[in-house]
Amino acid sequence: MNHRTLIAATSLAVMAAAAQAREPWSDDVASRTQALALLQTLNADLLSHPSATLTLERWCGGHGLAPEAKILARRVKGQDKPLPDAERATLGIGADEPVRYRRVQLACGEHVLSEADNWYVPSRLTPEMNRILDTTDQPFGKVVQALHFRRQTLSADLLWSPLPAGWEMDAPLPPPHKGPLAIPHEVLRHRAVLYTEANQPFSLVVETYTSEVLAFGRR
C-alpha cells in the first residue's frame, strides 16, 4: 500500500473511531494523517455550532480526555486588552460604549483545550449575566445561553498542519522520524462575533485551540 492510499484509508477510519486505548503520537505519515483528520473534524464541529464551550464538552467526552466531560473556564486575571477601535464597528457600538474584557482558559479535567479573549458589551446582557461574568469563572457561552445567540465566524485558521499543502497530490510527504510527533501549543484559531436572537452583536471572541485537544493520542 503506498503512502497516499494509506492516507485515504486512515482518514476514513479515524472519523468513525470510538475513544479507546491510545498510543502517543509518533512522527510518521499514519500519525500525521490521523492528527490532520481530527483537527479538521474539530474545526468543522466548531464552525457548525454556536457555542465553542458545548462543542469542546462533547469533544472531551467523545475522546475520553477526563473522567467527567465538563468544561471549566479558568479566568486569567490581571490582564486587560482594550478593544481595538476598528472592532467597535464590528460590534455596532460607538466610541463611548463600555466594553468588558475577559480572558479564560477552557479546560476539561487537566487539559486546557482553548485560550480565549472575549470582549463583550455589558449593556446588551442581562444584569444577572453581568453579575455571573463578574464574579464567577463560568464559561461565557453557558452564561449567555438564554440569549439564544448565534455565532458568525470571521476567520478560522489552522495554525499547524501535520501534512504539507498539496499532500494529496504530488507534494513530498514528511519522512518518518523516531520519537514523538512535535505538536506546537497552538493548533487552531477562530475569530467570531456573537449575535443575540434579535441579531444584535454583543461579543467578539478570539479562540486559540491548543495541542491538548489531541491529548488522547493515536489509535
Side-chain angles (χ1 to χ4, degrees):
M1 180 182 292
N2 63 39
H3 281 321
R4 287 176 173 81
T5 303
L6 174 63
I7 288 170
T10 306
S11 296
L12 290 173
V14 74
M15 297 298 183
Q20 51 186 282
R22 302 278 172 158
E23 298 176 1
W25 295 101
S26 53
D27 193 348
D28 54 42
V29 170
S31 267
R32 286 175 175 274
T33 303
Q34 286 188 31
L36 179 59
L38 286 161
L39 287 176
Q40 291 174 336
T41 299
L42 175 60
N43 191 35
D45 203 12
L46 289 163
L47 289 171
S48 60
H49 294 89
S51 173
T53 301
L54 296 178
T55 298
L56 287 178
E57 210 158 74
R58 289 190 298 271
W59 183 266
C60 178
H63 295 90
L65 286 171
E68 181 184 6
K70 183 178 181 181
I71 294 292
L72 296 177
R74 302 174 182 171
R75 291 192 63 181
V76 179
K77 299 181 179 179
Q79 296 184 13
D80 189 22
K81 293 182 182 179
L83 179 70
D85 291 341
E87 301 291 8
R88 286 187 166 268
T90 303
L91 290 175
I93 57 176
D96 298 326
E97 179 75 33
V99 175
R100 291 183 188 168
Y101 171 75
R102 206 173 190 247
R103 180 171 174 83
V104 298
Q105 297 175 331
L106 295 183
C108 192
E110 297 179 353
H111 301 287
V112 175
L113 305 182
S114 172
E115 299 169 342
D117 294 308
N118 182 2
W119 295 268
Y120 63 96
V121 184
S123 64
R124 294 178 179 174
L125 308 183
T126 68
E128 179 63 8
M129 289 175 184
N130 282 311
R131 185 194 68 77
I132 294 172
L133 291 171
D134 286 344
T135 60
T136 77
D137 285 358
Q138 288 192 43
F140 187 83
K142 288 188 174 181
V143 174
V144 302
Q145 205 167 3
L147 296 177
H148 305 290
F149 64 90
R150 70 175 178 88
R151 177 188 180 98
Q152 179 180 326
T153 302
L154 304 177
S155 60
D157 299 309
L158 197 63
L159 303 180
W160 171 70
S161 179
L163 292 172
W167 63 266
E168 73 282 9
M169 300 298 288
D170 296 322
L173 295 170
H177 294 96
K178 291 184 178 181
L181 178 63
I183 303 176
H185 178 64
E186 298 180 349
V187 296
L188 178 66
R189 179 171 294 135
H190 282 195
R191 182 169 165 268
V193 177
L194 306 185
Y195 290 82
T196 66
E197 196 173 21
N199 209 37
Q200 186 178 51
F202 67 93
S203 173
L204 172 68
V205 294
V206 178
E207 298 155 342
T208 302
Y209 299 90
T210 78
S211 58
E212 293 295 289
V213 300
L214 299 175
F216 49 87
R218 61 168 292 180
R219 290 192 68 190

